[in-house]
């Protein structure tokens, strides 16, 4: 008999329900992780020699794979960028990069036991479509020579609409990619100039229309609020136009101005940034507009149409989070390749070198590239389960925790439950005999609620986080 999924009890009406309360946001809006893992990447330690090989050899071959390929090249530097990416205008550099990438893939693949089925693939960056059409075909063919791909899976790629060749989207669809993601950020010309990402509405419309005509299963658009020269009125105009384009998913990010960490942001004048009050107004308007347009709020800046696979997975209690963000196939091990790529294999999280020259050196030396590592324990697994279900399904089931971890959850988390009392009084959460439910007023503060269960938070790194909103 199959045990009912306790996280599938949320109704579509629950996920449609989201309340924007500025006073509560001001009260609980604090710096914290985005929880693409737990422990988070800030807990990385230097990896010991031989550990990565041991992890790969001991990986459970019955668990399918999710592959992440990092292409760290862009033709243009976007000034808001939160990654110190490699910027180049020479496609030949990318061709050289593929040589190193293929060597890493072959090395790791040689250590995996059994059949290695791939159910998920994501090409990220940088801009993967920096690669020429022929290079994209070569990469796809190489991956299919090394791995067995499921007939039905989630195969996605990030694109730059400004750099697409006439046949690029058709080639990607013919290869087998079924999901696209690309950044718009803002449609206001003054904002675009200030962040060095100028692209017309007509260009975005053409890309969307072609993607829909080719039959891509899902298309995601990224937006950012808090950029220089943005106003609530200008952001409203952008949102109205984006809604007309009808993307399947939207990611709406809060711009964090950290020029001391990211060199590209030094080009942005702090005096040109909107005030915190205007940023909150923008976010509130975005929430309202997308809700009125029928989008389901997934959590942490993400929205999806109710019939999109991500929204369905959330309602079915099957949504997950990993270093790719929200994922519909979270039962996979994540295997990352390329500069700065991160892997999540069982209880292990590993990261490759973040500098190209260091990555190339490890590959040339025929050594596995990971330089950082986290090995979580059973206590971490318990807290990860709690945090991820709060962020994915707005719920923590006491019975589920007892069945999975053999604990009395109310006793084990007595201090955390006590620390949630103010949030319960303010109507953000409901705590009862069954568990903890995030209520409509608390949904956009999900990260703040999840932080209560984070044992690492506050010990260090707090200056490395962004605020929730």
């Amino acid at each position: 008999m199959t045990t009912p999924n306790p996280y599938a009890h949320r109704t579509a009406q629950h996920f449609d329900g989201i309340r924007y309360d500025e006073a509560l946001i001001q009260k609980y809006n604090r710096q914290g992780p985005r929880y693409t893992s737990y422990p988070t990447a800030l807990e990385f330690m230097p990896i010991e020699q031989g550990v990565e090989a041991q992890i790969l050899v001991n990986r459970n071959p019955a668990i399918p794979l999710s592959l992440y390929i990092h292409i760290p090249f862009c033709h243009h530097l976007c000034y808001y960028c939160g990654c110190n990416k490699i910027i180049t205008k020479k496609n030949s550099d990318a061709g050289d990069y593929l040589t190193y990438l293929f060597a890493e893939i072959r090395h790791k693949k040689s250590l995996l036991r059994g059949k290695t089925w791939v159910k998920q693939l994501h090409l990220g960056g940088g801009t993967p479509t920096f690669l020429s059409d022929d290079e994209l075909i070569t990469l796809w063919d190489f991956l299919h020579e090394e791995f067995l791909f499921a007939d039905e899976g989630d195969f996605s790629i990030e694109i730059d609409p400004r750099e697409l060749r006439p046949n690029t989207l058709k080639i990607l669809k013919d290869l087998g990619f079924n999901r696209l993601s690309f950044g718009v950020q803002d449609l206001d010309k003054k904002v675009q100039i200030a962040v060095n990402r100028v692209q017309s509405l007509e260009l975005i419309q053409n890309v969307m229309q072609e993607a829909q005509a080719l039959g891509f299963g899902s298309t995601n658009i990224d937006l950012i609020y808090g950029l220089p020269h943005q106003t609530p009125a200008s952001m409203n105009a952008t949102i109205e136009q984006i809604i007309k384009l009808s993307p399947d998913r939207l990611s709406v990010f809060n711009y964090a101005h950290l020029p001391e960490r990211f060199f590209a942001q030094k080009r942005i004048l702090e005096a040109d940034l909107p005030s915190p009050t205007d940023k909150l107004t923008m976010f509130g308007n975005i929430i309202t507009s997308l809700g009125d347009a029928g989008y389901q709020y997934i959590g942490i800046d993400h929205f999806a149409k109710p019939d999109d696979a991500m929204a369905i997975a959330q309602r079915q209690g099957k949504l997950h989070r990993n270093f790719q963000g929200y994922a519909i196939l979270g039962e996979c091990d994540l295997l990352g390749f390329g500069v700065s790529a991160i892997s999540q294999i069982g209880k292990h999280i590993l990261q490759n070198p973040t500098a190209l020259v260091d990555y190339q050196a490890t590959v040339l030396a025929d050594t596995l590239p990971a330089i950082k590592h986290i090995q979580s324990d059973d206590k971490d697994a318990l807290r990860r389960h709690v945090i991820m279900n709060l962020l994915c399904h707005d719920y923590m089931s006491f019975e589920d925790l007892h069945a999975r971890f053999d604990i009395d959850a109310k006793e084990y988390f007595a201090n955390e439950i006590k620390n949630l009392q103010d949030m319960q009084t303010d109507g953000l959460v409901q705590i009862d005999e069954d568990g903890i439910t995030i209520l409509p007023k608390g949904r956009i503060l999900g990260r703040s609620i999840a932080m209560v269960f984070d044992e690492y938070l506050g010990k260090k790194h707090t200056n490395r986080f962004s605020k929730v909103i």
Side-chain angles (χ1 to χ4, degrees):
M1 181 177 177
T2 303
T3 303
N5 182 345
Y7 301 101
H9 76 294
R10 306 288 92 190
T11 65
Q13 287 72 31
H14 170 83
F15 291 112
D16 287 339
I18 178 169
R19 292 272 304 281
Y20 178 83
D21 189 314
E22 185 171 331
L24 291 178
I25 291 171
Q26 294 279 17
K27 181 177 180 179
Y28 293 106
N29 187 21
R30 61 192 181 105
Q31 293 179 330
R34 294 183 63 81
Y35 294 115
T36 51
S37 70
Y38 184 85
T40 71
L42 294 176
E43 305 305 323
F44 272 129
M45 298 292 289
I47 193 169
E48 296 182 6
Q49 186 175 2
V51 169
E52 184 174 13
Q54 184 180 10
I55 292 169
L56 293 170
V57 168
N58 293 333
R59 192 193 86 87
N60 183 354
I63 298 175
L65 286 173
S66 172
L67 305 183
Y68 174 73
I69 313 295
H70 187 71
I71 310 297
F73 300 99
C74 297
H75 281 285
H76 307 280
L77 175 63
C78 298
Y79 299 160
Y80 56 79
C81 185
C83 298
N84 291 323
K85 296 171 183 171
I86 301 155
I87 309 299
T88 177
K89 294 183 182 297
K90 297 183 294 183
N91 278 74
S92 60
D93 292 346
D96 294 339
Y97 180 73
L98 287 182
T99 301
Y100 292 95
L101 192 63
F102 291 173
E104 180 195 0
I105 292 170
R106 288 192 188 97
H107 195 166
K108 288 182 176 178
K109 172 62 166 50
S110 71
L111 297 172
L112 299 178
R113 296 180 293 114
K115 293 183 178 180
T116 49
W117 282 98
V118 174
K119 294 182 67 175
Q120 190 171 41
L121 167 70
H122 182 67
L123 267 62
T127 305
T129 48
F130 179 93
L131 299 176
S132 69
D133 293 344
D134 286 342
E135 287 169 335
L136 288 167
I137 293 171
T138 298
L139 174 57
W140 181 270
D141 289 344
F142 175 81
L143 292 171
H144 280 69
E145 289 171 2
E146 294 294 322
F147 299 96
L148 298 170
F149 276 66
D151 291 334
E152 294 185 5
D154 183 36
F155 309 128
S156 61
I157 182 171
E158 296 173 23
I159 64 171
D160 185 340
R162 300 168 297 172
E163 303 299 336
L164 294 176
R165 283 75 59 183
N167 293 318
T168 303
L169 288 187
K170 184 178 186 306
I171 288 170
L172 293 174
K173 186 65 173 64
D174 290 344
L175 287 175
F177 286 96
N178 51 29
R179 184 160 61 86
L180 298 176
S181 180
F182 61 95
V184 172
Q185 319 314 352
D186 195 295
L187 291 172
D188 184 272
K189 188 68 171 291
K190 187 176 182 179
V191 176
Q192 291 183 347
I193 292 172
V195 299
N196 198 38
R197 192 181 180 100
V198 178
Q199 49 191 356
S200 67
L201 174 59
E202 182 182 12
L203 172 63
I204 303 302
Q205 288 173 327
N206 290 340
V207 171
M208 285 293 298
Q209 289 170 1
E210 184 180 0
Q212 291 164 353
L214 287 169
F216 280 93
S218 183
T219 302
N220 177 82
I221 284 180
D222 291 343
L223 299 174
I224 298 178
Y225 66 96
L227 294 175
H229 303 300
Q230 278 181 336
T231 66
S234 72
M235 196 66 201
N236 284 347
T238 288
I239 290 293
E240 289 177 8
Q241 293 289 350
I242 294 300
I243 289 172
K244 291 178 183 177
L245 294 175
S246 192
D248 302 285
R249 302 178 189 178
L250 279 160
S251 302
V252 187
F253 299 108
N254 169 21
Y255 172 66
H257 189 58
L258 301 169
E260 68 280 4
R261 289 181 56 196
F262 305 116
F263 72 90
Q265 295 185 1
K266 295 180 185 297
R267 310 281 188 93
I268 292 178
L269 299 178
E270 192 162 348
D272 293 336
L273 297 174
S275 68
T277 299
D278 278 353
K279 281 185 70 174
L280 278 178
T281 300
M282 289 181 212
F283 185 70
N285 292 344
I286 290 167
I287 291 282
T288 301
S289 296
L290 293 180
D292 290 345
Y295 283 89
Q296 178 174 311
Y297 178 69
I298 303 297
I300 308 188
D301 314 321
H302 284 64
F303 301 80
K305 289 182 177 179
D307 59 352
D308 185 85
M310 180 175 287
I312 293 170
Q314 184 176 53
R315 296 195 300 270
Q316 292 178 343
K318 297 178 180 179
L319 194 64
H320 301 265
R321 273 187 73 74
N322 60 25
F323 279 99
Q324 296 170 325
Y326 283 106
I328 61 175
L329 298 171
E331 73 275 13
C332 301
D333 278 338
L334 173 61
L335 200 55
F337 302 101
V339 175
S340 76
I342 292 178
S343 301
Q344 291 175 292
I345 303 171
K347 295 182 178 180
H348 302 275
I349 306 173
L350 309 99
Q351 185 177 28
N352 285 356
T354 57
L356 179 59
V357 63
D358 295 333
Y359 171 73
Q360 290 172 323
T362 61
V363 175
L364 283 173
D366 197 29
T367 59
L368 290 168
I371 58 170
K372 298 178 182 179
H373 174 228
I374 299 170
Q375 180 174 357
S376 61
D377 56 24
D378 291 342
K379 183 171 65 173
D380 292 330
L382 165 61
R383 291 182 178 271
R384 178 173 62 244
H385 188 74
V386 171
I387 289 170
M388 295 309 172
N389 276 297
L390 287 173
L391 293 177
C392 292
H393 305 119
D394 298 334
Y395 184 57
M396 182 183 87
S397 164
F398 293 149
E399 184 179 354
D400 174 55
L401 295 182
H402 175 73
R404 287 176 180 269
F405 300 98
D406 193 26
I407 63 166
D408 181 330
K410 286 182 286 187
E411 180 179 334
Y412 189 94
F413 290 116
N415 286 335
E416 286 80 0
I417 291 172
K418 180 180 179 181
N419 290 336
L420 286 172
Q421 291 305 309
D422 281 351
M423 291 185 175
Q424 178 165 243
T425 300
D426 286 334
L428 273 62
V429 299
Q430 174 183 307
I431 305 171
D432 56 27
E433 290 300 310
D434 296 325
I436 299 172
T437 301
I438 299 180
L439 300 174
K441 282 198 292 187
R443 295 200 67 216
I444 56 179
L445 288 163
R447 281 169 61 196
S448 295
I449 296 167
M451 287 178 214
V452 174
F453 296 89
D454 185 344
E455 280 197 318
Y456 296 92
L457 197 63
K459 296 180 180 179
K460 53 184 176 179
H461 311 310
T462 52
N463 63 323
R464 298 288 303 278
F465 299 129
S466 64
K467 284 195 172 184
V468 172
I469 296 168

